[in-house]
Amino acid sequence: MKSLNSFNRQSLKEFLSGVISVIGRRRRLCLLLPYLFLALCALGFHFYAVKVLPSGLYFAVMNSDSVHQYLPFNSFLLETYAKGEFFWSWSAGLGGDIFAGFSHYFTSSPFFYLELLVRMAGRGSWDFAGILIWKLFFSMLKQFLAMAFLYKLLRYEGKRVFLALLGALIYGGGLYFLRYGIFFDNFTEALVWVPLTVLGIRRYQMERKPVVLVVGAALSAATSFYFGFMSFVLYGLYVLVFVVDWGSLVNRASLVNRASLVNRGSLVNRASLVNQIKLLRNYVLLFALSLGVGAVFFLPSVLMFLGLDRTSPDLPPEPLSLNFFLNMPKDLFLGGSSFAFPLLCLLGFFCSWKLMSAIQKRKTVLVGIFMVFFLTPFFYMFFNGFAYSSSRWYYLISFVVAYAAADWLEHCLDNKRFGVMAFGVVAVLWGVAVWFSSGPNIVSEFGSEFGIPKWVYAFFSLAGLAVVMAAKYIRRPVLRQAGKGALVFSVCLFLGIIHYHHFSVDFFFIKAEEFGRSEVNGLAERQVFAGLKPGTDEFYRVDYYRPFHENNPLTYDYYGVTTYNSMLQGDLSRWAKQKANIRGDFVGPSRLGGLDDRLFLQTLFAVRYKVVAAGETYFNPFFEKVAEQNGYQIYENKSFLSMGAWYDYGVDSDYYNGSNVAGRDAMLLMGAVTEQRIDGLPYLEPQPDTVEIEVPWQDAVYWNCGFDGGILSVGEEAEFLVPLGKPKAGSEAQDEGSGMWDDETSGELLVTFYLKSVSGKGFLLDVNGRQTTKLNYAFPYNYDFDIFTFRLDGGTEEVRIKLPPGEYVLEDFQVFMNFYTLYADRVAQLNRYSLEDLYVHGNVVKGTIANDSDGILALSVPYSAGWKAKVDGKPRDIVKVNDVLSGLFLTAGSHTIELHYVTPGFWLGLIVSAVSTGILVFLFFWRNCITMPISRSGRKA
């Protein structure tokens, strides 16, 4: 038996020696094992989402921007870019920029272009379900890259493998990533580029190699200017903490020599100060270079952002309060934005400052800075561009803590002062934090039903802490290595269970059958609209709107009139919400919810077809029902305008702005409204067929509500009825009698008034069955405009208004009538000179026109600085017409018209990017001309 045991031991030793020898010969393969491990972790963290795919559940949230914006945008952009249309699409609202207009979402993302290449290679399914599968794949890829880059950073700084793995898991494995991955997948890309950029800073600091720094910072800025701002704040602070040698700035000899204190300037080492300033200058130049490299994406995005119309109330920062501080443990460790392994983070509070290395101290200082930010409500607004308070910047806290946690753990394991007592205090602190979270579960921001059982947190957290403490006192090398592996394994298991519990609810998934609904991905709509897309030799739009799913028609490949987009063109948004005051289902920014069936607006924007569901009623005397297909009715306007409308005279913008909302509608079909007078064009003050209707308030009827002194007091199930009188004195309609205007075919009524909730609460406003929702005034996405306009059929005898209980300020209640009497004649006049030989495709519009008089050709093209025009082959300035359209002043004769669109800032950004990339290549080959290398401890070599 003894010899057998000796034989077994000898064989085992020989086997292990052989394995070690093989591993030694394949060292490069061993270097890849940690990355393979992190890839498996990313797969494990998404395990539940992968597990439920065969059962028809997809990684998305039905009633959220995940489906309302991102899903149709992704599908639409893939289709559009695959066809080679990169700048403009007529399917985006009334036509819009898709390069800069969708940069907030996808068009500046390298992962989107990777997805586009896969699509063009013909791989995978590309319906909504297929896109969600790819979204899940890219979520895993981005999580892996985020962890891999931090692992590489920590290994570059000399950290042991298990410490670098723990830091990577803490950073990329937190719920922050998966929470945003499921709702707003573009938000997660910021996490990928932060560790890459910091790695670049360290490489430049120690080896004078700037390429990784510039590339990482360029990706941060180019992928998202919004998160780029936040990340650059971190980069700047990182340089100040890790690069500047603050100790060398003090003249220590002057501190010792008290006589020199008289001369205050001697306290500062001027030579060192000059050197540090020069060093910081180099980093500033490199970051500026990174902005230049990414300028082709960054510059157009910023220009689009600066022109947005996102009016919202001024929201003060959250005040300091007891609840603010009591919620901090949950926000840091227990909520949807939590860190991955909080106990390792808590170890930092017990590290000995005196025994820390220089780099450990710097990392701790960086964490301290961001903890100050975390404790100060102001910074929640600062990181959100001085808008409303937001926690989207928490990924920066996740990074600095994960980056320091590996050093803290290393310090605790190697420091004899950190014993059982310190471990016990950490455990007690963690227990208190868990205990004070209400209920049996760790409540997430989505409610207790989506919480994670406390025992999960407690068991695995304390188990991990026990492993850390045990590893400190174990002396046998084999057992110590096993303890390190057990620690990494416990963290992975802890994270996997958290993710599994957090996402194992239907709330976070969309069922396959939802894709069969008409609002989401219905084949019925595609068949209907397949016959409603104009060819390249014609132009018209289709008025079709579905609340909550206004972006889905993007994928139907037709020219529509609606959009919901955070980067909605500002001029168009301001005109629609304020000047024209078009009713939408929501009063909020970023939305264009149709044209509210206002005939003159439909005509202005070349609406030829109106599509409504089969069960809905629709009437307009100029729209004729021409078909019914797949549950939809199709109406056609025989008097629609095509691409160009001809105006013989102009209308001064001051006169136009001084008219009422109905008069402005009517004037759009009479004269060209221009901000500046054009030489050679006559200007008139047209008198539209618009009259104001009397509103006899003394005859109003109130149910459960009252109106006194401009205040409307509303009770439960209340409504009030306002009868409509005759046209006001002096109008032609009054002179000829009521028969001219009391029929539904005679025109349309526009009811307009000022309404604001006294309490600031949101409300649902119903006027004769047409509704709009005003969001809470303290809600960040509330649009701060309180004038409402509703379109009603001609012949309407009373206005019925319903509101939820509360008090409201009601003022300036007016009703106007726009007559249809001269509508057909005016459309014919506008069509008098129209574009022939028309060609419309993507960002190109061409045609010819033969006009016998001078005038303005107003094109059904939303005005943008990106459009450039040529008339008869020569460049011609485009005139903004009617606040929103592109126009050309033409003298009498035959002309050839050509318009071409390129995203504003694209060519300049491309040139800057090309030059900056050339400089970067130069630096790659001539990097020795930059600065002196700096050691990894932060001191000069």
Side-chain angles (χ1 to χ4, degrees):
M1 181 65 68
K2 183 177 180 180
S3 60
L4 182 61
N5 290 338
S6 300
F7 173 78
N8 290 338
R9 292 173 183 172
Q10 184 65 28
S11 300
L12 181 60
K13 289 181 179 180
E14 293 176 356
F15 173 76
L16 293 176
S17 299
V19 171
I20 294 173
S21 177
V22 171
I23 292 176
R25 291 195 298 269
R26 291 171 174 79
R27 184 173 180 272
R28 291 185 178 180
L29 178 62
C30 292
L31 294 177
L32 295 177
L33 289 179
Y35 297 100
L36 176 61
F37 172 76
L38 292 175
L40 292 175
C41 288
L43 175 62
F45 299 153
H46 290 77
F47 172 73
Y48 190 87
V50 176
K51 171 189 172 184
V52 299
L53 277 178
S55 62
L57 292 176
Y58 297 92
F59 190 57
V61 180
M62 185 61 200
N63 294 315
S64 74
D65 286 346
S66 174
V67 171
H68 295 162
Q69 290 196 65
Y70 290 82
L71 187 56
F73 284 172
N74 199 356
S75 175
F76 160 70
L77 290 170
L78 288 171
E79 290 280 356
T80 305
Y81 273 48
K83 292 185 296 185
E85 300 177 15
F86 299 105
F87 297 116
W88 183 272
S89 173
W90 297 101
S91 296
L94 293 166
D97 189 305
I98 56 175
F99 182 76
F102 290 85
S103 61
H104 179 65
Y105 303 92
F106 297 110
T107 55
S108 60
S109 165
F111 298 100
F112 168 75
Y113 291 99
L114 177 60
E115 188 178 8
L116 179 63
L117 291 175
V118 173
R119 177 184 179 83
M120 297 180 69
R123 300 295 181 184
S125 170
W126 293 99
D127 56 7
F128 279 5
I131 287 175
L132 288 179
I133 293 175
W134 280 105
K135 172 185 174 181
L136 177 61
F137 169 77
F138 279 108
S139 180
M140 289 187 284
L141 175 61
K142 287 185 282 189
Q143 188 172 43
F144 162 71
L145 290 176
M147 294 188 293
F149 287 145
L150 185 56
Y151 171 81
K152 177 63 178 176
L153 170 61
L154 292 172
R155 289 291 292 157
Y156 183 78
E157 293 180 342
K159 292 293 173 287
R160 286 167 278 184
V161 171
F162 88 100
L163 292 172
L165 286 175
L166 288 174
L169 291 170
I170 291 172
Y171 177 57
L175 288 178
Y176 180 100
F177 182 93
L178 213 58
R179 188 259 185 190
Y180 281 109
I182 197 171
F183 283 97
F184 316 103
D185 47 291
N186 63 326
F187 286 13
T188 58
E189 295 187 26
L191 281 83
V192 177
W193 312 129
V194 166
L196 177 65
T197 306
V198 173
L199 173 62
I201 296 174
R202 294 293 283 162
R203 284 175 62 89
Y204 177 69
Q205 185 182 14
M206 293 183 282
E207 302 178 52
R208 294 179 298 179
K209 295 180 178 180
V211 175
V212 177
L213 186 161
V214 174
V215 170
L219 286 169
S220 295
T223 301
S224 173
F225 64 90
Y226 175 70
F227 285 98
F229 164 72
M230 303 183 204
S231 297
F232 267 69
V233 172
L234 169 64
Y235 302 153
L237 290 172
Y238 187 91
V239 170
L240 291 176
V241 172
F242 280 78
V243 174
V244 176
D245 187 358
W246 296 98
S248 66
L249 296 178
V250 179
N251 192 333
R252 298 181 180 179
S254 296
L255 289 177
V256 175
N257 186 357
R258 296 183 179 180
S260 65
L261 290 178
V262 178
N263 184 2
R264 295 292 181 180
S266 64
L267 292 177
V268 178
N269 189 328
R270 296 183 178 180
S272 178
L273 178 62
V274 171
N275 290 334
Q276 298 301 314
I277 292 175
K278 289 181 179 179
L279 188 62
L280 288 176
R281 177 200 62 191
N282 292 332
Y283 282 94
V284 170
L285 292 176
L286 288 176
F287 282 124
L289 180 62
S290 69
L291 293 178
V293 171
V296 66
F297 293 104
F298 174 73
L299 184 59
S301 300
V302 171
L303 290 177
M304 173 67 81
F305 173 76
L306 293 177
L308 294 183
D309 174 42
R310 296 182 65 85
T311 301
S312 60
D314 294 328
L315 301 176
E318 183 178 353
L320 289 174
S321 64
L322 181 60
N323 287 334
F324 178 83
F325 290 103
L326 290 178
N327 286 329
M328 285 181 177
K330 177 181 73 67
D331 291 339
L332 279 175
F333 301 131
L334 310 176
S337 302
S338 69
F339 300 146
F341 202 62
L343 279 177
L344 291 183
C345 305
L346 288 174
L347 293 176
F349 290 98
F350 296 91
C351 294
S352 172
W353 180 262
K354 292 183 179 180
L355 299 179
M356 281 185 179
S357 65
I359 191 171
Q360 288 175 343
K361 289 180 178 179
R362 286 183 168 91
K363 291 183 179 182
T364 304
V365 168
L366 192 63
V367 172
I369 292 173
F370 277 88
M371 284 297 105
V372 171
F373 293 165
F374 177 73
L375 294 170
T376 310
F378 166 79
F379 287 98
Y380 290 73
M381 299 181 69
F382 167 77
F383 282 108
N384 200 35
F386 296 97
Y388 60 92
S389 296
S390 172
S391 62
R392 293 172 182 172
W393 63 281
Y394 275 4
Y395 75 97
L396 302 177
I397 302 180
S398 296
F399 171 78
V400 297
V401 172
Y403 183 47
D407 288 78
W408 292 341
L409 181 58
E410 180 182 49
H411 179 80
C412 294
L413 290 174
D414 298 339
N415 183 9
K416 295 181 179 180
R417 295 185 180 182
F418 194 94
V420 177
M421 180 64 69
F423 281 108
V425 172
V426 171
V428 170
L429 287 176
W430 175 241
V432 171
V434 174
W435 177 262
F436 278 101
S437 60
S438 60
N441 297 335
I442 302 299
V443 181
S444 76
E445 58 204 277
F446 306 108
S448 59
E449 64 269 29
F450 308 123
I452 302 166
K454 287 182 178 179
W455 68 265
V456 175
Y457 265 79
F459 177 79
F460 285 97
S461 299
L462 295 177
L465 188 65
V467 170
V468 174
M469 186 171 62
K472 180 177 179 66
Y473 295 102
I474 294 175
R475 294 291 176 241
R476 292 191 177 185
V478 175
L479 294 179
R480 287 179 65 87
Q481 295 299 325
K484 296 173 183 177
L487 178 59
V488 174
F489 176 76
S490 66
V491 172
C492 291
L493 192 59
F494 172 78
L495 294 175
I497 291 177
I498 286 178
H499 285 89
Y500 189 91
H501 275 273
H502 199 75
F503 292 98
S504 60
V505 288
D506 291 342
F507 178 81
F508 296 104
F509 293 89
I510 181 172
K511 298 179 181 179
E513 52 263 30
E514 295 286 350
F515 294 126
R517 293 172 49 189
S518 61
E519 297 90 347
V520 182
N521 192 23
L523 296 178
E525 286 76 13
R526 296 179 182 273
Q527 294 174 358
V528 170
F529 292 105
L532 298 180
K533 180 182 178 181
T536 57
D537 59 346
E538 58 183 342
F539 184 86
Y540 54 80
R541 291 188 174 91
V542 180
D543 192 343
Y544 169 73
Y545 178 60
R546 273 283 177 267
F548 299 105
H549 297 280
E550 54 264 58
N551 285 326
N552 290 60
L554 285 170
T555 64
Y556 302 160
D557 195 23
Y558 80 107
Y559 300 169
V561 296
T562 67
T563 188
Y564 170 35
N565 184 349
S566 294
M567 299 285 279
L568 179 62
Q569 183 181 335
D571 287 344
L572 177 61
S573 176
R574 274 183 288 270
W575 175 83
K577 290 183 174 62
Q578 299 183 31
K579 188 69 66 65
N581 200 212
I582 303 173
R583 180 194 67 88
D585 286 292
F586 292 91
V587 183
S590 311
R591 269 188 163 95
L592 180 64
L595 301 173
D596 197 28
D597 298 331
R598 286 158 66 171
L599 180 62
F600 297 154
L601 298 184
Q602 290 174 321
T603 305
L604 178 70
F605 289 107
V607 171
R608 180 177 181 179
Y609 295 103
K610 172 73 178 182
V611 177
V612 297
E616 297 180 7
T617 57
Y618 176 76
F619 173 79
N620 188 294
F622 292 94
F623 278 83
E624 176 186 350
K625 184 175 179 180
V626 294
E628 187 164 348
Q629 179 185 0
N630 294 352
Y632 287 95
Q633 306 171 76
I634 302 174
Y635 294 82
E636 182 180 9
N637 182 7
K638 302 295 184 180
S639 299
F640 79 99
L641 287 174
S642 185
M643 172 55 76
W646 182 262
Y647 292 102
D648 290 308
Y649 61 88
V651 178
D652 186 80
S653 60
D654 291 337
Y655 178 78
Y656 171 77
N657 294 333
S659 301
N660 58 64
V661 64
R664 290 196 291 266
D665 274 19
M667 271 188 268
L668 297 175
L669 303 188
M670 300 174 69
V673 181
T674 62
E675 295 180 354
Q676 303 293 331
R677 287 181 176 257
I678 299 174
D679 294 337
L681 182 70
Y683 278 78
L684 304 177
E685 295 184 353
Q687 301 300 317
D689 298 322
T690 301
V691 299
E692 184 174 357
I693 306 299
E694 292 181 346
V695 181
W697 279 100
Q698 67 277 7
D699 298 329
V701 180
Y702 302 92
W703 288 277
N704 295 333
C705 59
F707 185 56
D708 183 31
I711 300 297
L712 180 66
S713 302
V714 179
E716 296 288 343
E717 299 182 1
E719 69 174 297
F720 67 98
L721 183 152
V722 182
L724 298 181
K726 297 179 179 181
K728 287 192 173 182
S731 69
E732 181 182 350
Q734 187 193 50
D735 296 338
E736 296 190 10
S738 62
M740 182 178 177
W741 64 274
D742 61 1
D743 182 80
E744 60 184 1
T745 64
S746 60
E748 62 186 33
L749 289 170
L750 293 183
V751 181
T752 181
F753 51 87
Y754 174 91
L755 181 72
K756 186 169 186 177
S757 171
V758 174
S759 65
K761 293 183 179 179
F763 53 85
L764 174 65
L765 172 61
D766 184 302
V767 177
N768 289 46
R770 303 173 78 89
Q771 297 179 339
T772 189
T773 297
K774 177 69 175 179
L775 301 173
N776 191 303
Y777 288 78
F779 188 63
Y781 301 118
N782 171 53
Y783 191 84
D784 194 17
F785 195 74
D786 301 297
I787 298 176
F788 299 85
T789 299
F790 287 78
R791 186 265 185 200
L792 303 177
D793 291 331
T796 300
E797 298 179 351
E798 58 190 19
V799 178
R800 289 178 174 267
I801 298 179
K802 297 180 181 180
L803 283 164
E807 289 189 339
Y808 305 87
V809 178
L810 176 61
E811 298 174 346
D812 300 328
F813 191 97
Q814 295 175 297
V815 181
F816 300 96
M817 180 78 169
N818 264 337
F819 289 103
Y820 292 158
T821 310
L822 301 176
Y823 169 76
D825 293 337
R826 283 179 175 156
V827 173
Q829 182 72 9
L830 295 175
N831 272 326
R832 184 158 56 100
Y833 303 123
S834 58
L835 285 177
E836 305 292 338
D837 304 319
L838 187 63
Y839 175 81
V840 180
H841 180 70
N843 63 330
V844 177
V845 177
K846 297 179 182 179
T848 60
I849 188 172
N851 50 294
D852 295 335
S853 61
D854 297 351
I856 282 187
L857 177 67
L859 301 164
S860 189
V861 178
Y863 179 85
S864 172
W867 284 105
K868 303 301 179 185
K870 288 184 178 180
V871 177
D872 301 327
K874 298 179 180 179
R876 178 71 61 86
D877 291 337
I878 295 177
V879 180
K880 183 189 287 189
V881 178
N882 301 339
D883 285 327
V884 287
L885 297 182
S886 300
L888 294 169
F889 175 70
L890 301 176
T891 57
S894 297
H895 303 282
T896 299
I897 309 295
E898 181 177 352
L899 275 76
H900 190 269
Y901 184 85
V902 176
T903 298
F906 175 79
W907 289 120
L908 177 59
L910 184 62
I911 293 171
V912 173
S913 292
V915 172
S916 300
T917 303
I919 295 174
L920 182 61
V921 172
F922 174 82
L923 293 178
F924 178 77
F925 291 103
W926 300 93
R927 59 180 180 270
N928 290 330
C929 67
I930 307 300
T931 58
M932 294 178 59
I934 300 176
S935 69
R936 299 188 182 187
S937 64
R939 299 172 182 172
K940 292 184 179 179

